[in-house]
Amino acid sequence: MLTSAISAISRHGLAGQIRVAHGDGTAFDPQALFGVPSFDHVMISYSLSMIPDWPRVLQAAVNSLKPGGRLHIVDFGGQERLPGIARALLRRWLAIFDVTPRDDLECVLAAMATATGAGLKFERPFRGYAQYAVLTLPPEPAKP
């Protein structure tokens, strides 16, 4: 994935504006990888379903956000509104590639939002085929 991203960045002449780094999502350190203490936005796209310790990835992502920062997530959903046979076949096909939809993603994010005072937007588009979430940390308190 990184090789594809680097190629696309280069093709579009964006190498001076975008940095790509290889790292461990469960121990993500923005300072070590990018020389910055935190980010305004973190995006996780179709990867939580392939990471065994995915809740730890979520925590590392939230920890790397600035006050008021946003964590954006899109991944496979539980397909709960698909016809039964379609859901069963899709889950079987995803399992071949070690993809496990995180059926409790919303609950885990809701607990994180409660613990941090964050806002949470959560949707299950396409009959539950996908899950889309935005967790927004509260802004830094105003200085007196």
Side-chain angles (χ1 to χ4, degrees), residues 67 139-143:
E140 198 163 18
K143 295 180 183 178

Side-chain angles (χ1 to χ4, degrees), residues 4-121:
S4 294
I6 291 167
S7 293
I9 290 165
S10 180
R11 257 192 333 273
H12 288 68
L14 299 171
Q17 299 172 39
I18 299 173
R19 287 184 50 203
V20 177
H22 184 268
D24 179 352
T26 63
F28 185 73
D29 181 351
Q31 187 66 50
L33 290 172
F34 296 102
V36 297
S38 56
F39 297 108
D40 294 319
H41 298 271
V42 172
M43 173 76 178
I44 301 174
S45 178
Y46 287 98
S47 57
L48 291 177
S49 53
M50 294 178 273
I51 300 171
D53 196 1
W54 63 273
R56 204 162 131 207
V57 170
L58 292 177
Q59 191 59 61
V62 168
N63 291 345
S64 70
L65 289 171
K66 294 177 181 177
R70 293 181 180 170
L71 171 60
H72 305 262
I73 300 167
V74 64
D75 213 321
F76 292 102
Q79 300 102 30
E80 63 277 353
R81 293 186 319 277
L82 290 177
I85 188 69
R87 182 176 193 247
L89 290 172
L90 179 57
R91 283 199 169 236
R92 186 173 296 149
W93 183 78
L94 290 172
I96 292 169
F97 301 98
D98 296 316
V99 174
T100 305
R102 304 307 181 190
D103 295 334
D104 52 347
L105 177 61
E106 184 175 15
C107 291
V108 171
L109 287 172
M112 292 177 79
T114 298
T116 61
L120 178 62
K121 174 184 175 185

